[in-house]
Amino acid sequence: MPRTTALDPLFTAVNTAAFTDRHLANLAAGSLAAVRVPDFLDRQTCVSALAALDRLPTADYDPARVPTPILRFGPALNDYRVQQDGRLDAERYWRDAEAARAAWHRAGMRPDPITVSLARLGSAWGAAVTAATIGGRAVFGGTLREINAGALVHYLAVVPPLVPRPTASSPLPVWTEVKPDLSSECWSNSPTYRWSFP
């Protein structure tokens, strides 16, 4: 069901039963705004993930940066920008990323929703899909957020200088929402444009 924005009638969002290689290519190219896949994760994966949440260490965002209360687990690259020049505070980021990976592993989510998600995206693409890398090191994938009071408008893509623009592939932000009825939705949006489903 393509929908258009008021500002760009050619920039559409799609609801679909599954990702395809065309969806992913169009997202990367910036000719598709967003793709929403209901029931991306099965009920058992959602139950397992929610049961493990109490075993993950969480923290609030710095209220000076994010004024709405949002609980989170795991480091997101944009939270590790050096204010003066926008580069990555690498020492702090990699320390926190390794700690988050260890905590994720100890939480024992089976099946692992990140592994399932990457496998399904890779199946759609026709090749393995992996986390973005910096200097050959995989960034942390699995940041969780509990947003109960809304969030400010923000841009999910990571741009230089944190991650240099790749030449053969484009990073796509992908997130999955587990709903109160234990159904799920997977979303991906173009890294080129800002978009929000109403």
Side-chain angles (χ1 to χ4, degrees):
M1 314 292 156
R3 296 205 329 227
T4 60
T5 68
L7 298 176
D8 186 347
L10 300 178
F11 196 51
T12 60
V14 174
N15 291 312
T16 185
F19 284 104
T20 67
D21 60 341
R22 296 306 316 150
H23 291 136
L24 298 175
N26 288 334
L27 284 166
S31 59
L32 182 63
V35 176
R36 176 181 164 267
V37 180
D39 299 318
F40 184 74
L41 296 176
D42 64 49
R43 184 178 179 86
Q44 184 52 46
T45 303
C46 294
V47 168
S48 175
L50 289 177
L53 293 181
D54 289 338
R55 298 189 297 272
L56 294 172
T58 58
D60 290 313
Y61 280 94
D62 175 358
R65 275 194 66 237
V66 180
T68 57
I70 298 175
L71 194 65
R72 70 167 176 169
F73 162 77
L77 282 171
N78 284 324
D79 298 329
Y80 290 80
R81 285 180 185 262
V82 175
Q83 291 270 343
Q84 295 81 354
D85 57 16
R87 284 183 293 146
L88 180 68
D89 180 348
E91 181 179 337
R92 198 168 60 95
Y93 174 77
W94 293 117
R95 180 194 66 226
D96 291 354
E98 290 309 314
R101 279 190 189 92
W104 185 275
H105 181 72
R106 281 191 310 273
M109 284 180 252
R110 301 292 180 268
D112 182 328
I114 301 302
T115 302
V116 171
S117 297
L118 291 174
R120 289 195 179 147
L121 291 167
S123 179
W125 185 244
V129 172
T130 61
T133 61
I134 298 175
R137 294 175 77 178
V139 300
F140 179 74
T143 301
L144 303 175
R145 294 184 181 101
E146 181 179 342
I147 304 172
N148 292 323
L152 299 176
V153 174
H154 59 286
Y155 193 39
L156 292 175
V158 176
V159 295
L162 291 182
V163 177
R165 282 276 177 220
T167 55
S169 63
S170 292
L172 293 175
V174 176
W175 66 102
T176 301
E177 174 185 4
V178 177
K179 298 181 164 285
D181 66 358
L182 298 178
S183 65
S184 67
E185 291 182 348
C186 184
W187 303 72
S188 184
N189 69 286
S190 170
T192 310
Y193 295 98
R194 296 177 184 164
W195 175 262
S196 175
F197 278 91

